[in-house]
């Protein structure tokens, strides 16, 4: 640990690094920032170099469950346990949008990706998705400077009744596919244990990959057609796409609840209850 940030009394539920500007080398440490979401509904921005909190906002009345920056780092998207998604400006500290489309179900994933203008017949320079525990995924096109946010697609995935209640079910997971333009990957509790590749252009599932169990974490490599998935039985799986033999790895002592590729795609970070592992992906 090279730096420690001041920790408020509330518990931190989620965090994200501020992205660096496009076309530039990695930012010097003095400009690095982390945004964190807390159990009291607050969003806090920290300076890594100064190890201090620079901004505190309160866009939610419920605990935060997901958070991310827009692709240009100019907006913060946060999702709560009550399903509310807020869009806030770290420059002004104001919340500019509140979306209640997922209201009633905790937000499990928020992700943004750049898109070219009019890629899907809607205005905006960015696509983003929100996923909630009830197996719904909404996809949006936005231009925050022009105050535009338009729903592009709405996905609902069927599932059998969960006898033990929603909290005990595997999480709903979704991510834009870096190597296949206009496609997102979804996995979650459903009729089958599988990963679904959905085309935003064709409005249909293109293909499916069978899984050994319901996944608990997901990350897609930005550098090669590989998915990393974690499972509750301590298994980590690397899956080549669109087809190929998966590679399974042990090493965790509990559910693998986090998978995260590095921007280079050469390293993978995974976490369980009491272990954080970093993997070198020489063959990926």
């Amino acid at each position: 640990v090279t730096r420690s940030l001041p920790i408020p009394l509330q518990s931190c539920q989620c965090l994200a690094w501020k992205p660096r500007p496009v076309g530039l080398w990695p930012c010097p440490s003095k400009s690095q920032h982390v945004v964190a979401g807390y159990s009291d509904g607050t969003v806090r921005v920290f300076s890594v170099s100064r190890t201090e909190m620079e901004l505190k906002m309160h866009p939610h009345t419920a605990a935060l469950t997901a958070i991310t920056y827009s692709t240009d780092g100019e907006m913060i998207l946060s999702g709560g346990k009550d399903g509310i998604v807020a869009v806030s400006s770290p420059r002004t500290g104001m919340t500019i949008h509140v979306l209640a489309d997922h209201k009633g179900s905790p937000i499990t994933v928020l992700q943004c990706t750049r898109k070219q203008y009019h890629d899907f017949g809607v205005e905006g320079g960015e696509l983003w998705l929100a996923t909630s525990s009830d197996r719904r995924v909404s996809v949006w096109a936005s231009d925050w400077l022009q105050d535009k946010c338009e729903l592009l697609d709405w996905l609902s995935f069927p599932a059998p009744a969960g006898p033990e209640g929603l909290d005990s079910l595997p999480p709903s997971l979704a991510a834009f596919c870096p190597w296949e333009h206009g496609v997102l990957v979804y996995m979650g509790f459903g009729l089958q244990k599988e990963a679904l590749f959905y085309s935003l252009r064709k409005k249909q599932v293109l293909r499916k990959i069978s899984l050994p169990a319901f996944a608990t974490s997901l990350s897609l490599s930005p550098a090669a057609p590989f998915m990393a998935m974690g499972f509750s039985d301590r298994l980590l799986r690397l899956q080549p796409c669109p087809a190929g033999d998966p590679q399974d790895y042990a090493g965790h002592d509990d559910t693998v609840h986090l998978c995260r590729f590095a921007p280079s795609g050469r390293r993978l970070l995974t976490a369980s209850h009491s272990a954080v592992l970093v993997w070198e992906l020489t063959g990926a």
Side-chain angles (χ1 to χ4, degrees), residues 166-237:
L166 188 64
D167 291 340
S168 64
L169 298 179
S172 300
L173 305 169
F176 292 110
C177 188
W179 61 82
E180 195 166 356
H181 192 60
V183 172
L184 64 83
V185 178
Y186 170 84
M187 55 186 66
F189 182 66
L191 302 175
Q192 303 292 333
K193 301 177 180 69
E194 57 191 5
L196 304 178
F197 287 73
Y198 177 86
S199 170
L200 294 170
R201 297 182 184 277
K202 298 181 179 180
K203 308 292 184 182
Q204 66 183 36
V205 174
L206 300 177
R207 60 186 176 275
K208 305 175 181 180
I209 295 179
S210 297
L211 303 177
F214 293 116
T216 53
S217 55
L218 168 69
S219 184
L220 277 62
S221 170
F226 272 85
M227 292 194 304
M229 296 166 284
F231 298 92
S232 60
D233 60 356
R234 300 168 291 180
L235 178 72
L236 170 67
R237 168 166 289 191

Side-chain angles (χ1 to χ4, degrees), residues 75-182:
M75 294 294 167
I76 295 170
L77 286 73
S78 53
K81 190 175 182 179
D82 56 2
I84 300 297
V85 175
V87 182
S88 307
S89 168
R91 290 185 180 271
T92 65
M94 297 179 62
T95 297
I96 64 170
H97 279 283
V98 175
L99 298 99
D101 300 74
H102 290 268
K103 186 176 181 179
S105 184
I107 301 298
T108 55
V109 177
L110 289 170
Q111 187 192 10
C112 300
T113 187
R114 289 183 178 86
K115 80 174 191 72
Q116 295 183 1
Y117 201 66
H118 292 312
D119 262 2
F120 299 93
V122 292
E123 293 186 357
E126 180 173 84
L127 288 183
W128 63 276
L129 63 79
T131 308
S132 50
S133 294
D134 55 1
R135 302 170 303 281
R136 295 184 295 169
V137 182
S138 60
V139 183
W140 306 78
S142 61
D143 186 338
W144 303 120
L145 295 180
Q146 299 296 323
D147 196 30
K148 292 180 179 179
C149 184
E150 182 176 348
L151 182 65
L152 180 65
D153 211 335
W154 182 268
L155 313 178
S156 297
F157 295 93
E164 298 180 10
L166 188 64
D167 291 340
S168 64
L169 298 179
S172 300
L173 305 169
F176 292 110
C177 188
W179 61 82
E180 195 166 356
H181 192 60

Side-chain angles (χ1 to χ4, degrees), residues 217-219 228-230 236 256-261 268-271:
S217 55
L218 168 69
S219 184
M229 296 166 284
L236 170 67
V256 184
H257 62 76
L258 175 70
C259 294
R260 188 69 54 83
F261 276 102
L268 174 69
L269 183 144
T270 60

